[in-house]
């Protein structure tokens, strides 16, 4: 089997590459079909997924069985001021991959986000795959367009929405909170936006379970359990042992101090219903996955030996 991983240098891409290399994750083994896979890592500048001809030539030449698209413009605030760049990466890129995958018969796994939802219809019910999207930010709208292009142009697709992702690799909320706690000793974090913290280990594990099947469709894949950013930050500080305090604030208070920030969904908790009903949901409770992260994280950009 031949697999292309786009965005291989990012949080999720690096974790997927690691699991393919090692043959297992913290949760368990990867599928047997992937144990001797030929893995092609792709990222900028070698592959710009927003360039149709570059993608078409690359996929036609490599002829993969599976394409896992982890490439995206994920800076939520940056998407507001660089809307064209966000659209190219988050919408046109997936379209190009979908068309190339359809031509060559490859399966396409495309990673999307909870930000396709408005977060206004709270109600305390986790949103499953049947919930209609309604994004309120440039990031959310461009990612939704990417989903639609994938659905339209590639029959063999898995669209996997995740949320609040963190990893041993790259920048993320967990590392930001740890570093800010060390630097300032006192943090303010919003307490009225709720969702699901997700360890990239869990997401990568589920993607690799899915991609050898024909269980095509739309999936939610997030850490089990719901919390606020304040709850998440408080647990991060507790597990890290950093001498810092975390105080709650409202979204409005945060926006007043950071007027350039994009609107975020106040309720974007997802339910992994499709996973449960098909290949099985092995994603861990978010507290357990976070504790495992701190047990293995080297404090920088990788894992302890």
């Amino acid at each position: 089997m031949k697999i292309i991983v786009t965005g291989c240098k990012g949080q999720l891409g690096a974790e997927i590459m690691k699991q393919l290399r090692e043959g297992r994750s913290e949760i368990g083994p990867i599928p047997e079909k992937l144990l001797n896979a030929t893995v092609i890592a792709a990222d900028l500048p070698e592959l710009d997924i927003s360039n149709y001809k570059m993608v078409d030539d690359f996929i036609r030449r490599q002829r993969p069985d599976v394409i896992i698209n982890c490439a995206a413009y994920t800076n939520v605030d940056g998407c507001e001021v660089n809307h064209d760049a966000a659209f190219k990466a988050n919408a046109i890129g997936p379209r190009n991959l979908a068309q190339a995958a359809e031509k060559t018969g490859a399966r396409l796994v495309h990673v999307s986000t909870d930000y396709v939802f408005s977060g206004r219809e709270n109600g305390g019910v986790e949103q499953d795959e049947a919930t209609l999207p309604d994004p309120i930010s440039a990031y959310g709208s461009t990612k939704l367009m990417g989903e639609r292009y994938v659905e339209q142009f590639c029959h063999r697709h898995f669209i996997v929405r995740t949320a609040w992702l963190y990893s041993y690799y790259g920048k993320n909320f967990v590392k930001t909170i740890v570093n800010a706690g060390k630097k300032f000793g006192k943090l303010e974090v919003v307490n009225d936006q709720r969702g699901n913290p997700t360890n990239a280990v869990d997401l990568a594990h589920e993607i690799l379970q899915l991609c050898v099947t024909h269980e095509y469709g739309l999936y939610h894949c997030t850490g089990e359990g719901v919390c606020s950013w304040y709850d998440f930050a408080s647990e991060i500080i507790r597990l890290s042992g950093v001498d810092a305090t975390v105080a709650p604030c409202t979204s409005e208070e945060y926006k007043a101090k950071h007027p350039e920030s994009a609107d975020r969904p106040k309720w974007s908790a997802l339910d992994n219903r499709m996973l449960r009903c098909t290949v099985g949901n092995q994603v861990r409770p978010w507290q357990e996955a976070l504790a495992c992260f701190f047990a293995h994280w080297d404090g920088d950009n990788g894992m302890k030996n």
Side-chain angles (χ1 to χ4, degrees), residues 169-206:
Y169 316 102
K171 296 178 181 178
N172 55 63
F173 183 77
V174 176
K175 295 180 183 180
T176 298
I177 290 296
V178 169
N179 292 331
K182 290 176 180 175
K183 184 175 180 180
F184 301 112
K186 185 175 181 181
L187 307 173
E188 272 195 350
V189 182
V190 293
N191 197 30
D192 58 0
Q193 296 174 20
R194 299 178 69 78
N196 321 90
T198 307
N199 190 323
V201 169
D202 299 57
L203 177 58
H205 179 87
E206 292 290 352

Side-chain angles (χ1 to χ4, degrees), residues 67-126:
I67 303 165
I68 303 175
N69 180 35
C70 304
Y73 191 138
T74 58
N75 182 328
V76 178
D77 295 334
C79 288
E80 296 296 320
V81 292
N82 299 301
H83 205 145
D84 280 8
F87 192 85
K88 284 169 117 177
N90 296 340
I92 292 175
R95 180 206 67 177
N96 295 342
L97 289 168
Q99 289 180 313
E102 186 70 10
K103 285 180 187 175
T104 56
R107 302 173 199 181
L108 174 61
V109 182
H110 174 62
V111 181
S112 193
T113 174
D114 60 320
Y115 278 51
V116 300
F117 296 112
S118 70
R120 295 192 183 108
E121 58 287 319
N122 185 332
V125 177
E126 293 175 71

Side-chain angles (χ1 to χ4, degrees), residues 43-84:
D43 213 318
L44 291 168
E46 294 80 23
L47 180 65
D48 177 358
I49 64 166
S50 70
N51 183 314
Y52 175 83
K53 187 173 189 314
M54 187 181 283
V55 170
D56 191 58
D57 289 347
F58 185 78
I59 302 301
R60 195 189 300 273
R61 188 168 66 250
Q62 297 294 345
R63 300 200 72 83
D65 299 289
V66 178
I67 303 165
I68 303 175
N69 180 35
C70 304
Y73 191 138
T74 58
N75 182 328
V76 178
D77 295 334
C79 288
E80 296 296 320
V81 292
N82 299 301
H83 205 145
D84 280 8

Side-chain angles (χ1 to χ4, degrees), residues 32-285:
E32 280 189 33
K33 289 180 182 177
L34 300 178
L35 290 177
N36 296 307
T38 299
V39 183
I40 299 161
D43 213 318
L44 291 168
E46 294 80 23
L47 180 65
D48 177 358
I49 64 166
S50 70
N51 183 314
Y52 175 83
K53 187 173 189 314
M54 187 181 283
V55 170
D56 191 58
D57 289 347
F58 185 78
I59 302 301
R60 195 189 300 273
R61 188 168 66 250
Q62 297 294 345
R63 300 200 72 83
D65 299 289
V66 178
I67 303 165
I68 303 175
N69 180 35
C70 304
Y73 191 138
T74 58
N75 182 328
V76 178
D77 295 334
C79 288
E80 296 296 320
V81 292
N82 299 301
H83 205 145
D84 280 8
F87 192 85
K88 284 169 117 177
N90 296 340
I92 292 175
R95 180 206 67 177
N96 295 342
L97 289 168
Q99 289 180 313
E102 186 70 10
K103 285 180 187 175
T104 56
R107 302 173 199 181
L108 174 61
V109 182
H110 174 62
V111 181
S112 193
T113 174
D114 60 320
Y115 278 51
V116 300
F117 296 112
S118 70
R120 295 192 183 108
E121 58 287 319
N122 185 332
V125 177
E126 293 175 71
Q127 296 161 122
D128 69 9
E129 294 82 358
T131 307
L132 294 177
D134 181 22
I136 58 174
S137 67
Y139 174 60
S141 64
T142 57
K143 290 294 287 183
L144 179 59
M145 199 72 218
E147 288 187 9
R148 287 176 173 164
Y149 281 142
V150 168
E151 288 175 335
Q152 183 176 354
F153 293 117
C154 181
H155 290 96
R156 303 170 198 84
H157 71 259
F158 307 88
I159 295 169
V160 184
R161 291 176 182 151
T162 194
W164 298 22
L165 190 67
Y166 64 93
S167 154
Y168 300 114
Y169 316 102
K171 296 178 181 178
N172 55 63
F173 183 77
V174 176
K175 295 180 183 180
T176 298
I177 290 296
V178 169
N179 292 331
K182 290 176 180 175
K183 184 175 180 180
F184 301 112
K186 185 175 181 181
L187 307 173
E188 272 195 350
V189 182
V190 293
N191 197 30
D192 58 0
Q193 296 174 20
R194 299 178 69 78
N196 321 90
T198 307
N199 190 323
V201 169
D202 299 57
L203 177 58
H205 179 87
E206 292 290 352
I207 283 173
L208 294 179
Q209 303 302 314
L210 272 176
C211 75
V212 297
T213 74
H214 296 287
E215 300 275 8
Y216 305 121
L218 173 63
Y219 288 81
H220 289 174
C221 184
T222 60
E224 286 296 317
V226 181
C227 68
S228 70
W229 286 111
Y230 165 74
D231 299 328
F232 190 17
S234 298
E235 187 67 359
I236 291 165
I237 290 297
R238 186 185 75 80
L239 289 168
S240 70
V242 171
D243 184 14
T245 60
V246 185
C249 68
T250 66
S251 297
E252 289 71 27
E253 288 167 340
Y254 182 86
K255 185 82 170 178
K257 293 178 182 177
H258 306 275
E260 74 289 350
S261 64
D263 290 336
R264 264 83 167 167
K266 284 199 172 182
W267 176 267
S268 62
L270 305 184
D271 176 25
N272 301 342
R273 189 182 305 280
M274 185 72 164
L275 279 177
R276 285 199 308 276
C277 294
T278 55
V279 298
N281 178 24
Q282 298 180 62
V283 180
R284 297 169 290 182

Side-chain angles (χ1 to χ4, degrees), residues 3-14:
I3 301 172
I4 290 175
V5 181
T6 65
C8 64
K9 297 174 186 172
Q11 291 195 87
L12 178 60

